[in-house]
Amino acid sequence: MIPPHDQFGLLPPGLHWTADPNELAKRFAVGARRRRLFDGFIEGAYLLRLAGCRFVYLDGSFVTTKELPEDFDACWDPLGVQLEKLDPVFFDFNNFRQAQKARFGGEFFPSGAQAEGPARTFFEFFQINKDTGAPKGLVAFKLSSLQ
């Protein structure tokens, strides 16, 4: 179960696991804007699952209490992924990942890839509040439930 947000509108530190897209929808896909972002996230997660991905970590303003989030940020675990089966959009980082944003409404990064900051992976970077440097939580989504 995904815990309540803290007083700053963020998830508490840690990985908050779910395999239920309905739980994600009930919690984060409230309103037309959030629903579009959710649908894009699920489309991307499904494509990753088809290539063998088992886990995606969801972050960004989408998993906060922000009323109208701009997008979502996600990183995917490459363990077991057959890269040749991945849609090329997952490797297109040109123009600030515009192709991913246009297709999904957000961005997907390999979890072990180098992110901004001193020697951090995206998996690590997404667990730090960019404003305060304090730890924050991620939704860890098991893709086994996607059909």
Side-chain angles (χ1 to χ4, degrees):
M1 182 170 188
I2 301 169
H5 291 96
D6 66 14
Q7 68 270 28
F8 305 109
L10 303 173
L11 292 173
L15 295 178
H16 308 295
W17 289 93
T18 186
D20 185 358
N22 294 321
E23 179 183 10
L24 286 178
K26 277 178 65 174
R27 184 66 186 276
F28 301 113
V30 178
R33 170 83 181 142
R34 285 180 163 278
R35 186 65 202 198
R36 279 192 304 276
L37 293 174
F38 172 78
D39 290 345
F41 170 74
I42 292 298
E43 178 189 354
Y46 179 74
L47 292 173
L48 286 162
R49 182 183 179 282
L50 290 177
C53 185
R54 297 182 314 145
F55 308 112
V56 174
Y57 305 98
L58 182 57
D59 186 43
S61 58
F62 182 72
V63 297
T64 70
T65 57
K66 186 173 181 179
E67 187 176 342
L68 295 172
E70 294 295 318
D71 63 1
F72 64 82
D73 299 303
C75 63
W76 48 276
D77 185 343
L79 185 65
V81 174
Q82 297 174 31
L83 298 178
E84 67 279 1
K85 290 187 175 183
L86 271 182
D87 188 301
V89 74
F90 289 104
F91 301 108
D92 187 349
F93 296 103
N94 294 316
N95 199 24
F96 300 99
R97 298 156 305 280
Q98 190 57 44
Q100 288 189 33
K101 290 176 187 177
R103 180 158 180 191
F104 305 120
E107 302 159 281
F108 290 90
F109 300 92
S111 61
Q114 178 72 36
E116 301 172 19
R120 286 194 180 127
T121 65
F122 279 100
F123 181 74
E124 296 164 330
F125 180 71
F126 287 165
Q127 295 182 73
I128 304 294
N129 181 324
K130 66 181 176 184
D131 297 324
T132 67
K136 67 181 179 77
L138 290 178
V139 173
F141 185 49
K142 297 177 189 177
L143 302 182
S144 57
S145 64
L146 293 179
Q147 298 298 330

